[in-house]
Amino acid sequence: MEPDFEVIVVGAGPAGASVALHLARLAPTLARRTLLLERATLPRPKPCAGGVTGKGLAVLGGLGLTLGVPALPIHRVEVSLGAQRWAVEAEGLAVTVARGAFDHWLAREAVAAGATLHDGEVVTGVVVGEAGVRVATARGTYTARCLVAADGGSSTVRKLLAWPPSTHRARLLYVETDGPPEDVATLSLDFTPMAAGLHGYLWDFPSPLPTGVGCHRGLYDRGDEGSRRGNLKPLFRDALAARGVDLDACVLGGFHERELARGVAVARPRLLLAGEAAGIDPLFGEGIAQALAHGGLVAAEVARVATSGDWSFRGAAGRFARSRLGLELAGGRWLANALYQPRGPARLARLFAAPGIASLAARHLAGRLHPAVLAMVAPPLLALGALGLGWRGHPA
Ligand SMILES: Cc1cc2nc3c(=O)[nH]c(=O)nc-3n(C[C@H](O)[C@H](O)[C@H](O)COP(=O)(O)OP(=O)(O)OC[C@H]3O[C@@H](n4cnc5c(N)ncnc54)[C@H](O)[C@@H]3O)c2cc1C
């Protein structure tokens, strides 16, 4: 019997919408038989600092899309560690967006490209059989040849199918304030609290508000073995106070993120994970560009399989690991392991002292550098940085 759809995608965030948009380019017939099931009614609020790096903008460009929501262009990323500061400057490093509006725009583009969207419909059950998948929601049951789990960090599909849990779950604290940050074209990352055991950083990002420019401020802790235990709130309170912000006057949000664990399966017969349901970058906790890129890889797998008729997705995990995104996430994990530990602050200072690192970082953020090139040039540059032959951080 013919299934109701060829593909069901659970979650209409950046990963889910990206799957549908890429399918529309690679296999338009499949895209027209793709169902996006979204728990929330769109537009939905999404707690997020809204930083979309050039890597993500490049994916949108590849889809022929120009950003359809207000965005603040970012030309500078500033990294600080105690009294030292380094800056990376270039056009097109990133933009910041309001996430609810951005995700809604992307989902509308997916519908315009042929996908069917059911929002306000939560997925409650999944059965994967030899002949196809069956997905239950509060409103009904749908069948398809395959399922894509793009339902984010707390993926329902993963839970329903008893997918192995993540080893690390990053912790984030986050507030939004009305006034703009010091510079509305700069993303600030402050690694100073690493000295106090944080495996992460504080961020201050400008954010577009209907009334002007506001500021997203937050704390990222990788949540791995040895990272600061217990309550992160006092540390965040002090950091905000140093920025002239009273935590008690803000609405505080606490969240988790899933990082892509080493060797985690991203595919099973008739099933693929996409975006944060699989896992994102453990170094910065960046997930939007990664979700957009992952959508492209997943769509390529589905398009490939649709012609062969073999829905086992054999080899998909290897292709993912060798892809640009797979290499980038593995590199991020390697760097996170090297930096988020007691010797981390000294290593971070050495990293930024390496010659040419600023321009490499700029090209990486803007999506103009392949991670394999970065992996080749980084070790000699780091060695030069360790010898003190490089770029000096300047005192704040
Ligand atoms: C405080 C904070 C700040 C962040 N800041 C940044 C940043 O500045 N830049 C950046 O790149 N990343 C940032 N991130 C990470 C980023 O938000 C995520 O990694 C990104 O949203 C992942 O996209 P996704 O499409 O995989 O998942 P999501 O965007 O989470 O989308 C998943 C969708 O699935 C839906 N869903 C879930 N369960 C079900 C179900 N049972 N049935 C149907 N639908 C379901 C959800 O409603 C949701 O719409 C931040 C995260 C946090 C918590």
Side-chain angles (χ1 to χ4, degrees):
M1 206 172 79
E2 274 292 292
D4 302 325
F5 292 91
E6 295 294 309
V7 185
I8 293 178
V9 180
V10 185
S18 170
V19 171
L21 285 161
H22 279 93
L23 267 182
R25 295 223 135 192
L26 297 170
T29 328
L30 281 183
R32 284 192 291 275
R33 303 233 324 120
T34 294
L35 172 64
L36 282 167
L37 287 170
E38 168 55 51
R39 170 175 62 190
T41 302
L42 301 178
R44 54 131 172 67
K46 172 77 188 171
C48 179
V52 185
T53 54
K55 291 176 283 176
L57 299 175
V59 178
L60 296 178
L63 286 166
L65 297 176
T66 14
L67 208 54
V69 288
L72 295 171
I74 301 296
H75 310 310
R76 188 163 192 273
V77 177
E78 188 175 276
V79 174
S80 43
L81 178 69
Q84 298 194 89
R85 283 188 190 185
W86 299 271
V88 170
E89 286 177 10
E91 294 293 309
L93 285 182
V95 296
T96 56
V97 294
R99 266 304 293 281
F102 176 78
D103 289 13
H104 191 205
W105 163 71
L106 259 189
R108 286 199 310 269
E109 289 291 341
V111 172
T116 302
L117 169 68
H118 290 188
D119 63 344
E121 187 162 351
V122 58
V123 169
T124 51
V126 171
V127 178
V128 183
E130 276 186 22
V133 296
R134 182 176 293 272
V135 176
T137 73
R139 285 198 222 147
T141 304
Y142 308 92
T143 55
R145 294 194 202 280
C146 78
L147 181 73
V148 178
D151 49 351
S154 52
S155 171
T156 306
V157 175
R158 276 183 78 126
K159 282 180 206 144
L160 289 171
L161 298 176
W163 216 282
S166 313
T167 40
H168 301 155
R169 279 183 31 102
R171 300 180 295 170
L172 296 94
L173 295 180
Y174 161 86
V175 297
E176 289 184 53
T177 54
D178 278 342
E182 249 171 61
D183 178 353
V184 294
T186 294
L187 303 183
S188 301
L189 308 178
D190 180 1
F191 288 86
T192 308
M194 277 174 66
L198 190 77
H199 283 189
Y201 61 93
L202 297 157
W203 79 80
D204 298 275
F205 287 9
S207 72
L209 297 175
T211 48
V213 179
C215 189
H216 288 288
R217 302 180 196 268
L219 173 154
Y220 173 79
D221 178 87
R222 190 190 181 197
D224 56 345
E225 193 85 2
S227 74
R228 191 186 164 93
R229 302 257 168 231
N231 193 357
L232 294 169
K233 200 168 153 186
L235 198 154
F236 193 41
R237 180 189 299 284
D238 291 349
L240 287 178
R243 288 156 175 77
V245 177
D246 175 8
L247 177 59
D248 294 326
C250 304
V251 180
L252 175 69
F255 307 93
H256 284 104
E257 276 184 350
R258 183 200 306 282
E259 82 171 55
L260 184 79
R262 188 183 168 85
V264 73
V266 291
R268 286 182 184 176
R270 295 193 181 269
L271 193 64
L272 293 162
L273 302 180
E276 199 173 324
I280 57 168
D281 161 52
L283 187 59
F284 298 114
E286 183 195 357
I288 303 171
Q290 290 72 8
L292 292 171
H294 204 171
L297 296 174
V298 162
E301 290 298 336
V302 174
R304 176 184 288 116
V305 161
T307 48
S308 71
D310 171 6
W311 293 89
S312 66
F313 294 120
R314 204 171 292 117
R319 284 187 288 278
F320 173 76
R322 291 187 297 276
S323 70
R324 187 181 179 127
L325 176 66
L327 293 172
E328 180 196 323
L329 292 175
R333 188 170 53 240
W334 182 85
L335 215 46
N337 288 340
L339 290 182
Y340 296 144
Q341 52 150 293
R343 278 174 300 171
R347 288 183 169 172
L348 188 72
R350 275 214 314 265
L351 176 72
F352 277 95
I357 208 76
S359 80
L360 279 179
R363 290 179 58 202
H364 171 64
L365 281 178
R368 294 195 286 265
L369 187 71
H370 196 282
V373 177
L374 195 58
M376 265 187 311
V377 297
L381 290 181
L382 283 175
L384 289 174
L387 292 172
L389 301 172
W391 186 33
R392 292 254 149 252
H394 59 78

